[in-house]
Amino acid sequence: MKIGLIGFGKTGKSVSSILLENKKFCLEWVLRQSTVLEHRSVPEFFGIQSDEPGLIYSSSKTTMEELLDKHPVDVIIDFSSSDGIYTYGELAAERKVKIISAISHYKEKEVQLLKKLAHKTTVFWSPNITLGVNYLLFAAKFLKKIAPWVDIEVNEEHFKKKEGTSGTAVKIAEALDIDKKDINSVRAGGIVGKHEVIFGFPYQTVRLIHESISREAFGNGVVFVAENLEHKQKGLYNFEDILTPYFAV
């Protein structure tokens, strides 16, 4: 499966390292805004031997159309920004390239665009693409269904410079019918990401906790999603769509 990666920040670098390790995938190219690594490759950047091209391009010098013409891919993985979808979405959909978006925050306008693109190709979106946190969300919804009257608190912790409330925490709150204003946020040091849901029963407490130890967790999530989307028809999917069949067994 040929992969194109958009975004090469801290998370993008971690994801690309996981993709290079997996023999089921071939990292064809990376597109980023900066020109600093232009004409280099991801394997060269990491100082490793690899048969995968992993060529690094700058969006200021190469258009998405040129990139897809020269280096066609099966899947585009987006770790860039909320407006990144406008640079490749329509082109990818027209060419039936699958889209995996791991953008934390989309406004309604972008969500509607994803739905539109899903009429032409397979589209997946998750504010947090780690497998563990989505299992937490899945389990939390089950427990809320069993005990709808239980007291619930949602806590999230991230690195000092992260702005706004975690998109994952907001998704958890929405799924559990909790006002996102009641989410408890902590910003400290270099915390990669921690989410906790506390269920307060009269005589017991249940805590569901997920903590990302390193950003490579996002790479593992991407691999899991890409493998499960391989034979999916066009449409808009989320993690629940992918996990549900496993629970039905």
Side-chain angles (χ1 to χ4, degrees), residues 170-230:
V170 170
K171 185 176 181 180
I172 292 172
E174 290 174 347
L176 300 177
D177 295 320
I178 296 170
D179 194 321
K180 59 184 179 182
K181 294 179 181 178
D182 294 329
I183 297 172
N184 304 303
S185 299
V186 173
R187 296 290 177 266
I191 300 172
V192 175
K194 181 177 180 179
H195 295 87
E196 177 182 28
V197 183
I198 303 173
F199 294 87
F201 292 88
Y203 305 106
Q204 60 187 322
T205 302
V206 175
R207 295 174 184 265
L208 299 177
I209 301 173
H210 174 268
E211 184 168 10
S212 294
I213 299 170
S214 74
R215 288 181 173 81
E216 275 71 15
F218 295 100
N220 293 140
V222 164
V223 167
F224 180 79
V225 170
E227 288 177 338
N228 281 272
L229 285 183
E230 187 173 3

Side-chain angles (χ1 to χ4, degrees), residues 137 145 162 243:
L137 177 58
K145 187 175 182 179
K162 182 176 178 64
L243 289 176

Side-chain angles (χ1 to χ4, degrees), residues 6-50:
I6 300 180
F8 202 57
K10 290 181 179 179
T11 303
K13 291 182 176 70
S14 298
V15 169
S16 63
S17 69
I18 296 298
L19 291 172
L20 287 176
E21 292 175 1
N22 195 302
K23 300 305 179 183
K24 294 181 181 179
F25 302 97
C26 176
L27 182 59
E28 286 289 312
W29 48 260
V30 170
L31 184 67
R32 66 196 306 248
Q33 290 184 333
S34 174
T35 60
V36 174
L37 298 174
E38 183 84 2
H39 303 308
R40 293 183 62 184
S41 72
V42 176
E44 179 191 353
F45 174 81
F46 286 119
I48 60 175
Q49 293 290 329
S50 176

Side-chain angles (χ1 to χ4, degrees), residues 6-7 31-33 59 64 76 78-90 99 101-111 113-114 117 125:
I6 300 180
L31 184 67
R32 66 196 306 248
Q33 290 184 333
S59 57
M64 180 56 65
I76 288 178
D78 186 3
F79 274 93
S80 58
S81 62
S82 59
D83 58 357
I85 187 69
Y86 295 105
T87 66
Y88 69 87
E90 294 286 357
I99 296 171
S101 173
I103 303 303
S104 295
H105 295 278
Y106 272 137
K107 294 180 180 178
E108 185 58 27
K109 183 180 177 182
E110 284 75 45
V111 174
L113 176 57
L114 291 179
L117 299 176
W125 173 47

Side-chain angles (χ1 to χ4, degrees), residues 100 122-126 129 131 134 138 221-230 232 237-248:
I100 297 177
T122 306
V123 180
F124 175 92
W125 173 47
S126 177
I129 205 164
L131 177 58
N134 283 283
F138 207 85
V222 164
V223 167
F224 180 79
V225 170
E227 288 177 338
N228 281 272
L229 285 183
E230 187 173 3
K232 293 285 188 185
Y237 298 88
N238 57 33
F239 240 111
E240 188 168 343
D241 297 320
I242 291 178
L243 289 176
T244 298
Y246 289 95
F247 284 82

Side-chain angles (χ1 to χ4, degrees), residues 87-98:
T87 66
Y88 69 87
E90 294 286 357
L91 286 169
E94 289 294 336
R95 299 174 187 228
K96 310 302 180 186
V97 176
K98 291 180 171 63

